[in-house]
Each structure stands twice: as C-alpha cells, then as structure tokens.
Amino acid sequence: MAQDKPSPSVSLAEVEGGYTAAEYRSGFERFSDALTKLSVWLAMGIILLMTGIVAVDLVMRNLANQSLMIVDEVVGQLTVAMAFLGISYGLRRHALLRVELIYRRLSAKAGAVVRICFDLASLFYTVLVIWFGIRLVDSSMRLEVVSLSLLQTPMWIPQMVIPVGGGILILALVAELMRDTRRLVAVWREGGRR
Amino acid sequence: MSWGMEFAIFGGFLLVMILSGMWLPFAIGLGAVISLVVTNGISSLNALGFVMWGSVNSITLAAIPLFVFMAELLSRSGISARFYQGLSVVVRRLPGGLLQTNIAGCALFAAISGSSIATAASIGRVAMPQLDARNYNAKMACGSIAAGGTLGILIPPSITLIIYGTLTELSIAQLFMAGMVPGILLALFFMIYTGIRCSLNPSLAPRDEEVVDRGQAVRSLLGLLPFIGLIFVVLGGIYFGIATPSEAAALGASLSLLLCAGFRALSWKVLYDALEGTIRISASLIFIIMAAILFSYSIEITGIGRALAESVESLQLTSFEFIAFIVILFAVLGCVLDGGAMVVLMTPIFFPMLASLGVDPIWFGVLIVVLVEFGMLTPPFGLNLFVVNSISGRSLGTVVAGCIPYYVIMLAFIVLLALFPAIALWLPSQM
C-alpha cells in the first residue's frame, strides 16, 4: 500500500506537485507550510530516535543481558507522534492514498467542486479527532493517569501529540481548501474546460 | 433499523466516498464515525479518543516506518544497484538471463523491503536500462519486473502482513514466516516459467556475450555478501526468536546505515531523502490503520460484524466455498479498490467468520496477501503496472500483456495454497 510512484488511479506527490509547484501562496498558506516543514523535521528526528532506541535495547539485551525497560512504551508513543506530525506533510505532498476512478473523469469544474467537498469532509473528521483527542488529554490530566513502566509518564504528555499534530493538519487542510477554492474560481472563469 | 439496512447504508456511504476520490484515511475514518452516530447515537463517540490512541500506540506498528526506512536507505543510496549487478553475474547464465536476475533480485530485495512498489521500482530502475541496451523482449522485461515486484509484500518483511496482523492481533513474526515459503515458491515458479519460455524462444532474451573473468565473478559474489548478511540478520533474528519484527526492523535500519557508510554511499541528501520518503509513506499508512481500527470498532459496536458472521454461518458454507467466495470478491473489488484498502476494509468483516469455518487465520493472511499481489498486476488499479509503465516508458498495454502469464501462475498458486495449506503453515509451526 505504500506509494511512491505516479499512476493514473492514485494521487501521489509527483503527480500534483506539492512543494515543487510554483504557485501563489497567501501568508496563511506560507505559515501552514512552515509549520508542516517543522513538524516533518520533528517526525524525521523521531524515526532516527526510534531506530536508535530499539536497536540499542536489542543489542544490550542480547549481549549484556540488560534492557532499557522503557522501549515498548516510548516507541509506541513515538509511533503515534511520528504519524500525527507527518500526516500534514503527506497531505501537502498529496501522497495520501485516494481512488481516482471517478474523480479523474469529472470536468475541471466538477472536479474542483468535489475537491472542496472532500476538504470540508476531511476538516470535519480532523476536528472530531482533535476534539476527542483533547477530551482524552483532559481525562488523563484529571485522573492523573501515568504509564505502567518505570518512567511513570503522565499520559497527557504523549497524548498531547493528537491535538498538536491534528492542529497542524487542520491548518494544512484549510490551506488546501484555499488552494482548491482558487482553482475552482480559475476554472469557473475559464468555462470549466479541462 | 435491521442490521442489513445499516450495513447497506454504511457500506454504500463508505464506498461512495472512497470511489469518488476522497483521501482514504479520512474516508474510512469518517465512514466509521457516521455509522457509530447513526446506529448508537452521539454518545458512542465518547471512546473515540481511547480507540485512536490505543490503536496506534504500539511498538508493533513501529515496524512499518522502520522497515520502510531500511528499504529507502538501500534504494536511495544506490546499494540496491550494486546488489543487482552482483546478482546478475550469478543468475544471468540461466535461460532468460537478466529476466531471471529481475525475479531473483525482486525476491531478495523483497526480503528487506515490505512494499511491492518499492521492490518493483528499486529493481526496475536498475534493470530497465540494461534490458533495453541488450534488446530483451519488452513484454517479458516489463512482466518480470512487475510480477517480481509483487513478491515484496509476500516475502517477509511485509507491510501488508503487519497491517493484517495489527487488525487481527495475530503474531506478526508467525505471519512473516508463513509468507516465506509461498514467496520463495512463487519466485521459483516465475523463474521456471521464464526459463522454459526463453528456452523455447531464445530471441526473447538474447544471450549475454560479455565474458566475465573469474576475479570479477568472485568480486561480484563477495559484493552480495553484505546484502545477504543483512537479510539473514533481519529474518533470522525473527525466526530464531532473538528479535521481534520491530526490533529486527530497527537493527536492519541501523545496519543499512552502516552498510551505506561502508560503501561510501551515505550523504546528508541520501539520509534526508530516505527519511522524507519514510515519513511520506508511513504517516499515511498509520493514519489509514487508525481509521481502519475505528472502522473495525464501529462494526463491532453496531453489531454488523456479528450479524454478518451469523448469517454466513446460517448459509452453512464449507471452507472451500468461503475461500472461493473471497477469491472472487477480491478479484471483483480489485477492479475498483486498491489492495491496501481491500485489506483494511475486508479483514474486520471476514476475520470473525474464520473460526466457525475452520479456516486458519495465519493461512488466511497469506491468502489475502497473494490476492492483493494479484490485484497489484491487474488494471485499472494494479500499481505495479504503473510503476513499470513509468520506469520503462513502455505503453501500459505492453506491461499488461507481459503480466498475463504471471496471472495464470498466481491463480494456479492460489489453488495450490488452498490444496496444501502446509505451504504457508509449515514454517511458523517450526518456530
């Protein structure tokens, strides 16, 4: 399912440009892009950290019969962080999977309208994710939930990645909505031809 | 509202969103949320935060970015190209020459990559210029890479099996080992077919006139050793119980970094590109898994899954009829859905039925992967077709025509797998 090549049926980064596209960007879009870049750098750091922690623990356990004892907990949390910090970049690069069987056959005008509908539906879902993420953080804080490992991490700290990463995703979706609205206006003026 | 009506509304809504082109992680997640609200009211969303957090807060899922990172490093540093050159010295004497190298190369690259697309792209980029320069038959060249690439998700590590294992809570290590023998057998069948076809018609694969002296051959073989060593450490670690799949992935990624440095192929650009590719692929996949677990949760909460399982039980299907139904369903769905989407959508529906039908869930995982492999080669959603189409510059028709014999081999292999489940189950039983 991992995608890295263009195809007529699946939208990918190379197909639709992402950062490489020379296009007008409003101040808000530049701000959103800057946050997305910052979050993807953090996500890259997380990948290196995960690689290091897990490999060191494996070697220590097999060669010195010692373990860091916290790897399962920390790496699970880092996986969530990597996903939430990296998803806005996937969106910006149009690297999220989508089926384009019908979408590709739409006129430019209908396609632009459909894109806006998808942006709004995705925004609605992301708002729900953030809302229930905040409730999770809030309940962990109120109930003083801590992890079961030696670290006894207050769980609201790693769980904060849901509202934070979700917030960056919301900004990226709003920026996407702005770009798609401009595209709709442009095709409307051109008469809706592909 | 009856469960049938609920299922029709829910499934219909989800299918419309997916088919009309909405991004999959949002379409599946939104479908799950709407089905929960419609059937059980807004209060059913209260557990959403816990389900989301619990679904992806898992060291098992960490294997996905770590395996992707390992494959990205080896591919972007150009080490996979060295490996192909080394392998070609060993394999090209077989009838079919470099076509055999393509399949053997894909099978070996599959042992460090969990993705079919990455496997086809990595081997295809190196192989296509050489195949063109030597006037190999275009259909055979494209078919061997597209079909060989599908081995990426069957031979462990496999991202598709990690997703299946996460959704079903089965042992990823056992699933990996279950994919090993079928993957090797399928690669052998591909090679036997290529050998027979090229022996009957030698013009398909011109004989290589280049003379390789013994020193060069030995150097090429020695060049393969680090790669083989990496595969042995990763898969051997899992098989012998020394490492979990996530640990093996982290060790493999660390060793790949060292390998790149050892070959003087590690630069900041290579590292950045590998990390960027890893995030682009993994974040999206993990979001899809989170949405799929929400989907699975909604099927459980709404009772649709249980009702569906009971209605299938009432049909008193034999396990053979059930498997035949699954094969036909995947073949039909493969015409409108991508393979990964089929796994995340179909597994929560069909998995609960396996126990009553006496179907082994590990074996079923392997079957689903072979069906997804089949889908990777069939238009209009066969992603490997588009990878090879883009790399080779040949028409899609040429690539599809080159794949036709491999469809037949894969269908025959599915029958073989159904008749002899031990092909998949023997190795995990030895762990």
Side-chain angles (χ1 to χ4, degrees):
Chain A
M1 199 155 66
Q3 313 306 327
D4 60 0
K5 275 277 126 192
S7 83
S9 56
V10 177
S11 174
L12 301 165
E14 291 82 353
V15 177
E16 296 186 85
Y19 285 121
T20 56
E23 57 182 21
Y24 165 78
R25 289 189 302 159
S26 66
F28 176 80
E29 287 162 81
R30 282 197 295 273
F31 173 66
S32 163
D33 282 354
L35 269 184
T36 297
K37 275 191 176 172
L38 177 68
S39 65
V40 82
W41 274 99
L42 286 172
M44 286 178 179
I46 287 173
I47 295 282
L48 288 175
L49 190 62
M50 281 162 71
T51 307
I53 293 176
V54 180
V56 165
D57 187 65
L58 176 68
V59 172
M60 276 175 59
R61 211 176 60 230
N62 284 285
L63 295 185
N65 215 15
Q66 300 269 319
S67 171
L68 298 173
M69 309 292 279
I70 52 160
V71 172
D72 280 20
E73 177 194 335
V74 172
V75 172
Q77 291 164 357
L78 287 175
T79 305
V80 187
M82 186 279 298
F84 272 89
L85 292 172
I87 189 70
S88 57
Y89 182 73
L91 175 82
R92 184 66 179 101
R93 293 289 310 266
H94 292 175
L96 305 184
L97 266 175
R98 72 161 33 150
V99 174
E100 294 193 344
L101 186 68
I102 296 169
Y103 174 75
R104 278 193 165 266
R105 285 165 174 76
L106 297 176
S107 70
K109 202 185 282 180
V113 171
V114 165
R115 280 178 80 118
I116 289 174
C117 294
F118 290 155
D119 293 340
L120 290 170
S122 304
L123 261 172
F124 174 66
Y125 173 66
T126 310
V127 167
L128 281 179
V129 167
I130 293 179
W131 171 247
F132 287 100
I134 290 172
R135 285 182 58 167
L136 178 70
V137 169
D138 178 55
S139 80
S140 294
M141 280 172 107
R142 274 188 295 107
L143 300 172
E144 297 180 359
V145 181
V146 294
S147 66
L148 294 172
S149 77
L150 290 173
L151 287 176
Q152 295 206 310
T153 316
M155 287 308 289
W156 67 268
I157 297 174
Q159 286 166 350
M160 275 297 288
V161 79
I162 298 180
V164 171
I168 297 171
L169 178 59
I170 288 265
L171 295 180
L173 278 166
V174 171
E176 191 69 20
L177 184 62
M178 290 167 78
R179 278 188 291 276
D180 288 338
T181 308
R182 277 202 303 274
R183 192 169 289 133
L184 177 64
V185 171
V187 292
W188 206 278
R189 282 183 185 149
E190 287 170 14
R193 290 182 300 276
R194 272 270 184 206
Chain B
M1 204 186 297
S2 72
W3 74 266
M5 183 64 84
E6 282 172 6
F7 183 63
I9 293 171
F10 174 38
F13 178 76
L14 196 60
L15 216 58
V16 166
M17 281 196 300
I18 289 174
L19 289 184
S20 55
M22 192 170 172
W23 288 303
L24 284 182
F26 298 116
I28 299 171
L30 197 59
V33 164
I34 289 174
S35 112
L36 279 170
V37 172
V38 169
T39 53
N40 287 46
I42 217 101
S43 60
S44 62
L45 295 181
N46 285 341
L48 208 64
F50 290 101
V51 175
M52 281 188 311
W53 174 257
S55 64
V56 286
N57 175 15
S58 142
I59 191 168
T60 308
L61 276 183
I64 292 179
L66 296 176
F67 275 129
V68 173
F69 183 40
M70 178 170 80
E72 285 280 317
L73 270 173
L74 293 172
S75 179
R76 293 186 188 257
S77 63
I79 288 190
S80 54
R82 287 170 197 256
F83 150 76
Y84 183 87
Q85 302 292 359
L87 191 66
S88 74
V89 173
V90 185
V91 184
R92 70 179 171 184
R93 291 187 185 282
L94 296 173
L98 285 181
L99 299 175
Q100 302 284 20
T101 315
N102 292 347
I103 296 166
C106 283
L108 279 176
F109 195 81
I112 54 111
S113 158
S115 145
S116 287
I117 295 167
T119 304
S122 298
I123 297 298
R125 275 189 205 116
V126 188
M128 271 329 284
Q130 302 196 32
L131 294 161
D132 282 342
R134 290 170 171 81
N135 287 323
Y136 273 70
N137 178 275
K139 284 181 192 168
M140 288 292 286
C142 293
S144 65
I145 295 170
T150 63
L151 297 168
I153 53 167
L154 185 56
I155 294 178
S158 159
I159 288 173
T160 310
L161 282 174
I162 296 175
I163 294 173
Y164 176 79
T166 304
L167 294 175
T168 56
E169 296 179 4
L170 290 170
S171 156
I172 308 286
Q174 290 219 325
L175 283 167
F176 276 5
M177 290 309 133
M180 180 82 96
V181 175
I184 294 170
L185 268 183
L186 201 52
L188 280 176
F189 291 159
F190 288 169
M191 289 179 78
I192 290 169
Y193 156 74
T194 307
I196 293 173
R197 183 89 194 273
C198 294
S199 297
L200 295 174
N201 184 359
S203 68
L204 295 172
R207 283 207 81 80
D208 210 327
E209 302 299 335
E210 192 185 334
V211 179
V212 179
D213 63 56
R214 187 166 292 181
Q216 196 183 342
V218 171
R219 275 196 302 279
S220 298
L221 282 174
L222 287 176
L224 278 179
L225 283 182
F227 206 85
I228 304 284
L230 181 64
I231 293 171
F232 181 78
V233 168
V234 171
L235 298 185
I238 297 171
Y239 181 79
F240 293 111
I242 298 166
T244 63
S246 303
E247 289 171 339
L251 187 63
S254 308
L255 291 176
S256 300
L257 274 169
L258 291 177
L259 213 58
C260 293
F263 280 112
R264 296 181 186 280
L266 186 63
S267 63
W268 286 114
K269 184 176 178 348
V270 166
L271 186 61
Y272 176 86
D273 287 350
L275 286 167
E276 187 266 352
T278 305
I279 299 296
R280 190 153 45 86
I281 294 166
S282 312
S284 168
L285 274 177
I286 289 176
F287 247 72
I288 289 178
I289 292 170
M290 189 177 86
I293 290 174
L294 274 183
F295 172 75
S296 181
Y297 171 73
S298 77
I299 280 185
E300 194 186 316
I301 292 291
T302 55
I304 291 173
R306 199 174 48 251
L308 208 59
E310 282 168 5
S311 66
V312 169
E313 265 176 51
S314 70
L315 292 173
Q316 294 188 315
L317 289 178
T318 63
S319 58
F320 180 79
E321 287 164 339
F322 174 74
I323 297 305
F325 169 71
I326 292 287
V327 171
I328 293 166
L329 182 72
F330 269 68
V332 172
L333 283 179
C335 297
V336 289
L337 277 182
D338 137 84
M342 284 195 289
V343 173
V344 297
L345 292 174
M346 295 298 121
T347 302
I349 295 174
F350 290 110
F351 188 75
M353 303 173 190
L354 299 183
S356 61
L357 289 161
V359 176
D360 188 286
I362 300 270
W363 177 87
F364 189 71
V366 174
L367 174 77
I368 281 191
V369 170
V370 177
L371 291 171
V372 170
E373 277 187 299
F374 191 73
M376 305 287 288
L377 290 182
T378 48
F381 286 97
L383 288 172
N384 276 22
L385 299 176
F386 300 114
V387 171
V388 176
N389 165 234
S390 146
I391 289 172
S392 66
R394 308 283 180 186
S395 71
L396 199 58
T398 304
V399 185
V400 174
C403 288
I404 290 172
Y406 297 100
Y407 300 152
V408 179
I409 296 172
M410 289 173 101
L411 281 176
F413 186 74
I414 289 170
V415 175
L416 202 65
L417 198 59
L419 291 176
F420 304 102
I423 293 173
L425 297 177
W426 172 75
L427 196 57
S429 71
Q430 303 300 309
M431 286 174 79

